[in-house]
Amino acid sequence: MELLKPIYSRFIFMIVFLGLIRPLIAQNQTLPTVAVLGVESNGISNNADAVSYMVRLEIEKLNVYYIMDKYDVAEVAAQNNIDVANCFGKNCVTAAGKSLNVDKVISGSVDRFGEKVIISLKLYDVNTGTIEKQSAMEYLNLQSEIQRMIRVSVKKLLNVDPDPAVMNLLVNYDVPVENPLTKLSLNGPRMGFSVPFGETQDILTSELSEGGFDMYPAMFQFGWQQEEQYLSAGNFQALIEGILLFGGLESGRLIPSLSILNGFRFGKAGWEFGFGPSFRIAKEARGFIGDGNNGTIEGRWYLEEELGSLGAVPDDSYSIRDRLDSRGDLKVSANLIFAAGRTFRSGYLNVPVNVFVSPRKDGTVVGLSFGFNIQKRSSTSP
């Protein structure tokens, strides 16, 4: 009996093994057979052989047909003088299907038209000689995503629901493509206004004779934003932004400023935050605030050279400093700026809206800016 135990164990194993694989064998035997006869390729980077291979692969993944090997198709076609590369008519396709001894035949085309890729697939019933199902889909011109386009088209052809996220990525022309490789660039015009507070507002709105600029309390600005992304991780982007603005035209002046921000853009809603230095060119002069002594008026701003005419002695009794003054010389000043906002989207139109604040000892400046641009669809096509 001990000698029979190994034989008995092997016998039991074979019974169980055959029981497990029999349904799989039966399933493959009952699946309809299909042959991919040929898929044309026009205007894209993949040739006909490549797109035909992708169609076969995607059909095989679904396991709804037993697909005929491409080498068997080529061999039978050669024996029966069938030109697979030019066999797309219904009569030719069904005749080829009968020669191949398959139940179904699939043929079609992948064509580029401008900014679209059109994939058309047809499923022929060989026995009836009719087109059983056909699928025609328009996609964004994303050459690197041809296989995923074919996957969607094959699923549509074979009544299998494609992934909605993939459909949104490849098909929806009203929603920009979003993936980790996509750059959302907001390069474009900027406009808005800023309002200074404190001493800065007093200087800008005061008379020229007092060193002021005789300007409105709010200043309209316009210019350009240029940015460069250095990090992208899904819905998060890190970038460097350069914003050149010109203001003061409503008061007859031209005041340029340049801000260089380290920005962070995150979330599908398009929220963003940035901070960095801001540089402006404006007239400044050295002077002091009068204290009521030595012939000065308390609280009034005087230029440094006025000390002698007032009979005052230039000592530590006056705090000499630089300040905005229309009688001074052009100088570059720097300060810190913080900005936050959101990009509103309508299809491929981007409208960034930001509020910003620049804290300064002589008067904080706050403002609002907005702009627009068209997000271009990237393409790897020639």
Side-chain angles (χ1 to χ4, degrees):
M1 292 295 294
E2 293 296 330
L3 294 174
L4 293 176
K5 283 185 177 180
I7 299 174
Y8 178 75
S9 299
R10 292 175 184 174
F11 177 75
I12 294 298
F13 173 78
M14 291 297 296
I15 293 296
V16 173
F17 178 75
L18 290 174
L20 291 174
I21 68 170
R22 179 174 294 177
L24 298 177
I25 296 173
Q27 182 182 9
N28 284 334
Q29 289 176 341
T30 57
L31 288 178
T33 56
V34 66
V36 177
L37 196 59
V39 181
E40 281 187 305
S41 171
N42 298 299
I44 65 171
S45 55
N46 304 95
N47 59 28
D49 288 339
V51 295
S52 297
Y53 170 78
M54 293 178 194
V55 171
R56 290 189 188 93
L57 179 62
E58 297 304 328
I59 295 172
E60 194 168 9
K61 287 179 182 179
L62 297 177
N63 198 33
V64 294
Y65 287 108
Y66 177 77
I67 189 163
M68 190 174 183
D69 186 81
K70 67 174 184 177
Y71 297 108
D72 294 332
V73 172
E75 182 179 351
V76 175
Q79 293 173 355
N80 291 272
N81 296 320
I82 300 172
D83 185 5
V84 175
N86 296 293
C87 185
F88 296 100
K90 182 171 66 173
N91 293 334
C92 181
V93 169
T94 54
K98 292 177 181 178
S99 299
L100 295 169
N101 195 27
V102 294
D103 300 305
K104 314 286 182 181
V105 173
I106 291 177
S107 69
S109 62
V110 179
D111 304 285
R112 175 188 169 188
F113 289 99
E115 290 302 309
K116 297 181 182 180
V117 172
I118 313 295
I119 297 182
S120 176
L121 297 176
K122 294 180 181 179
L123 177 66
Y124 294 85
D125 187 302
V126 175
N127 294 325
T128 62
T130 59
I131 298 175
E132 182 178 314
K133 185 80 184 295
Q134 59 184 355
S135 169
M137 297 284 294
E138 295 183 8
Y139 299 93
L140 300 173
N141 183 25
L142 303 171
Q143 300 277 323
S144 61
E145 300 290 346
I146 293 296
Q147 182 168 351
R148 286 212 275 185
M149 297 177 191
I150 289 175
R151 182 180 307 154
V152 171
S153 287
V154 166
K155 286 185 176 182
K156 284 285 190 179
L157 182 70
L158 303 182
N159 297 318
V160 178
D161 292 331
D163 186 343
V166 176
M167 288 282 288
N168 185 63
L169 172 71
L170 302 174
V171 178
N172 195 340
Y173 276 81
D174 294 324
V175 178
V177 178
E178 295 179 0
N179 60 52
L181 300 178
T182 300
K183 291 185 177 182
L184 173 59
S185 176
L186 296 181
N187 297 336
R190 290 291 181 276
M191 59 202 76
F193 65 89
S194 62
V195 180
F197 293 90
E199 184 183 57
T200 300
Q201 186 182 77
D202 294 337
I203 297 171
L204 293 178
T205 57
S206 61
E207 299 293 332
L208 294 174
S209 60
E210 300 176 0
F213 290 83
D214 193 23
M215 295 176 63
Y216 292 107
M219 182 168 56
F220 178 78
Q221 295 172 305
F222 69 95
W224 186 271
Q225 174 172 313
Q226 192 73 23
E227 63 182 46
E228 182 64 31
Q229 176 181 301
Y230 64 85
L231 177 64
S232 177
N235 290 319
F236 175 82
Q237 295 179 357
L239 53 145
I240 296 295
E241 302 172 90
I243 307 171
L244 178 64
L245 295 175
F246 298 91
L249 288 178
E250 71 285 341
S251 299
R253 297 185 177 274
L254 183 65
I255 302 176
S257 66
L258 174 65
S259 301
I260 302 175
L261 306 182
N262 186 27
F264 305 97
R265 192 171 293 139
F266 51 91
K268 292 186 177 180
W271 293 102
E272 57 186 10
F273 171 77
F275 63 93
S278 180
F279 307 92
R280 69 177 181 184
I281 300 177
K283 286 187 175 182
E284 294 184 1
R286 292 183 63 78
F288 62 94
I289 298 293
D291 58 2
N293 298 318
N294 298 316
T296 65
I297 299 174
E298 184 176 1
R300 180 177 174 180
W301 170 258
Y302 292 90
L303 296 177
E304 184 179 20
E305 54 263 28
E306 293 181 274
L307 279 170
S309 63
L310 292 170
V313 179
D315 55 22
D316 294 338
S317 61
Y318 294 104
S319 177
I320 306 297
R321 62 186 176 90
D322 290 326
R323 197 189 83 161
L324 283 173
D325 195 307
S326 60
R327 299 165 295 181
D329 300 320
L330 290 175
K331 294 183 179 179
V332 178
S333 63
N335 52 276
L336 189 63
I337 188 170
F338 298 91
R342 179 182 175 184
T343 299
F344 298 90
R345 302 178 187 175
S346 177
Y348 283 87
L349 174 65
N350 299 310
V351 182
V353 179
N354 293 275
V355 294
F356 60 88
V357 58
S358 178
R360 301 173 183 171
K361 291 180 63 177
D362 56 354
T364 296
V365 177
V366 298
L368 172 73
S369 71
F370 64 93
F372 60 89
N373 83 336
I374 298 295
Q375 179 184 341
K376 296 181 180 180
R377 296 188 291 270
S378 61
S379 172
T380 58
S381 59

